[in-house]
Structure formats: C-alpha cells, structure tokens
Amino acid sequence: MKIIRTTDYDDMSRKAANVISAQVILKPDCVLGLATGSTPIGTYRQLAEWNAKGDCDFSQVSTYNLDEYRGLTHDDPQSYHYFMRTNFFDHINIDLANTHVPDGSNPDAAAACAEYDRLVHDAGYPDLQLLGIGRNGHIGFNEPDDHFSKGTHCVDLTESTIEANSRLFESADQVPRQAYTMGVQTIMYARSILVIANGADKADAVWAMCYGPVTPQVPASILQLHTNCTVIADEAALARCPQE
Ligand code: F6R
C-alpha cells in the first residue's frame, strides 16, 4: 500500500483527481470504478474543472459505481444514481450510456445483482477503482462480517452506517435499510485502487485498513493484499498512522 499524506481535504481532492486524470490520459477508454459519499465530491469537482478546460476527456470512459440503495428510483434525489449525475456526470463530457450504477429500483435483488456482476465482468473490471472508507472500515456497503463478500449482493445496512448516512436524509428513519453493493472480491479485481479519506472520524478506520490485521471485521483491511493500492488521506485521517 502506498500512503500519500495531504494537508487537508482540498489537497486530498486535487491529488486524487490527478491520479484519476493520469489514468484517463494514459488510457482514454479506461473503466473507472466510482464511489459516492462526501469524500469524493471535491475530487469530482476538480475533475469537472479540468474537463471544462479540455485537460481531461471522459468521452470514451466507462464507469461502474460501487453501490445503490435498494428501493430508490434513479431520479430519487437520495439515490446514488442522482448523486452521480448531479455531482459528476452532468458536469463532464461522459456518455451517460457508459455510466453504470446498480439498479436499486429493481426489487428482485438476485436479478439486479447478477446483472450488475455480468456488466462489470463484461467490461473487464475497473482499471482504477476509487473508494471511500466508512468509520467501521466498510468499503462499498460491505460491512464488518465474518467473511469477505464476493460478487454484487444485497446487504442490510448496520446501525452505524444508517446513522452516518442519515445526515443526507431528513431523518434516520428515511435511510433505506438495504443496498446493493459490489462485493469485496469484485473490488479486489480492479487493476489499481485509490482510497481517499479525510477527517479525524476516519482515523481509526484508516489505521485499521493500513496497519491492522487483515480481517472481514474491517473489510478495507483486505486492500493490504492488493498489489496496486494507494491511499490519499489528510493529516487528520492519518493521525494514528506512522509517518513513513
Ligand atoms: C459510497 C461508498 C461508501 C462510502 C463510505 C464513506 O459509494 O461506497 O463506502 O465511501 O461510506 O462515505 P463518506 O465519504 O460520506 O464518508
């Protein structure tokens, strides 16, 4: 794992955008795995700025998002489909037909997950997978468990994730209780992985991801076994990690 320390959120976002932009320049028709949440918003904003300047062309890129709430339609403002449109896709020259998010509006969980696995497999898996990390060490919606998950599947969200995500809803009651998420195995198939994290509330999870034992109780810890994983995090999130 390569760890890059940044001074603050903006520095983290710019450096992460640089890595993604380099991937797109090196392979214009690359496959990107993308995440939602607060952490990547600055990265997406920076990439959109460079796209507007003509410095980062997304016209041939395809994207596969990690996860989606079960039961939300694509145009629900709380859905990850909507998040990706408003925070990224609507601001870059990507072909929307090349963007993919699990279909939370399909109530048939088995069918929705199998279809998403087929799409990601047929795309050849991401060249670069962008990840955030939950305070409990989750990646995608892969919560602490007694085994690492494999393909896309339907999960029950933990109370800590419901509480963390409730800031984006009117109340915790409105947070969907289930989601479809790429599995840990699928995430590990990406040829390179970029984890971004900021803020003191991520310090324990970032330490456990980078230096703790590899255990499904901290899903992100498996990334220690990936051959090309970079962590870009600010000082606060790296507070427990040794300076290297
Ligand atoms: C979202 C996702 C989640 C988030 C994680 C951190 O697609 O996969 O694992 O990355 O919950 O969320 P934020 O960035 O809001 O702290």
Side-chain angles (χ1 to χ4, degrees):
M1 253 179 176
K2 180 166 182 51
I3 301 176
I4 297 173
R5 255 171 214 269
T6 69
T7 47
D8 55 21
Y9 179 80
D10 288 345
D11 191 21
M12 176 203 77
S13 302
R14 216 168 32 248
K15 286 190 166 69
N18 265 302
V19 172
I20 296 168
S21 166
Q23 172 66 71
V24 173
I25 290 167
L26 288 168
K27 187 177 175 190
D29 61 348
C30 66
V31 176
L32 297 178
L34 297 179
T36 59
S38 308
T39 317
I41 289 176
T43 304
Y44 293 149
R45 199 176 297 136
Q46 180 66 79
L47 286 168
E49 215 178 279
W50 289 337
N51 180 250
K53 280 190 186 160
D55 288 342
C56 188
D57 176 14
F58 287 91
S59 60
Q60 297 176 64
V61 170
S62 33
T63 66
Y64 291 82
N65 264 77
L66 286 163
D67 41 21
E68 176 61 285
Y69 289 117
R70 185 182 190 195
L72 299 191
T73 57
H74 300 185
D75 53 2
D76 187 309
Q78 306 291 1
S79 74
Y80 287 173
H81 271 89
Y82 188 89
F83 175 100
M84 289 308 298
R85 291 280 300 262
T86 51
N87 285 289
F88 196 30
F89 300 149
D90 285 351
H91 309 287
I92 58 173
N93 68 333
I94 199 161
D95 179 350
L96 282 180
N98 293 335
T99 67
H100 307 84
V101 180
D103 185 5
S105 69
N106 184 350
D108 183 341
C113 295
E115 169 64 3
Y116 203 64
D117 271 345
R118 189 188 61 74
L119 287 173
V120 181
H121 173 272
D122 290 355
Y125 298 101
D127 293 291
L128 173 63
Q129 174 68 58
L130 178 66
L131 295 176
I133 179 171
R135 289 184 305 202
N136 61 3
H138 73 225
I139 47 176
F141 271 128
N142 294 283
E143 302 281 18
D145 205 341
D146 56 11
H147 64 282
F148 289 110
S149 62
K150 295 192 166 52
T152 306
H153 57 291
C154 181
V155 287
D156 295 327
L157 304 189
T158 62
E159 280 311 315
S160 83
T161 298
I162 291 168
E163 191 248 283
N165 291 6
S166 65
R167 69 189 191 283
L168 306 167
F169 291 77
E170 270 174 30
S171 72
D173 295 347
Q174 293 184 359
V175 183
R177 268 33 190 180
Q178 289 188 314
Y180 298 151
T181 182
M182 258 189 213
V184 171
Q185 186 179 57
T186 311
I187 292 171
M188 290 292 280
Y189 284 156
R191 280 175 283 291
S192 62
I193 294 184
L194 173 60
V195 188
I196 52 176
N198 71 290
D201 62 335
K202 298 291 175 70
D204 289 341
V206 169
W207 178 85
M209 167 176 67
C210 300
Y211 296 98
V214 174
T215 164
Q217 292 302 327
V218 181
S221 64
I222 191 110
L223 300 173
Q224 291 175 38
L225 304 182
H226 196 280
T227 51
N228 189 358
C229 177
T230 303
V231 178
I232 301 184
D234 71 354
E235 291 289 355
L238 285 170
R240 286 194 60 198
C241 298
Q243 299 263 5
E244 289 181 358

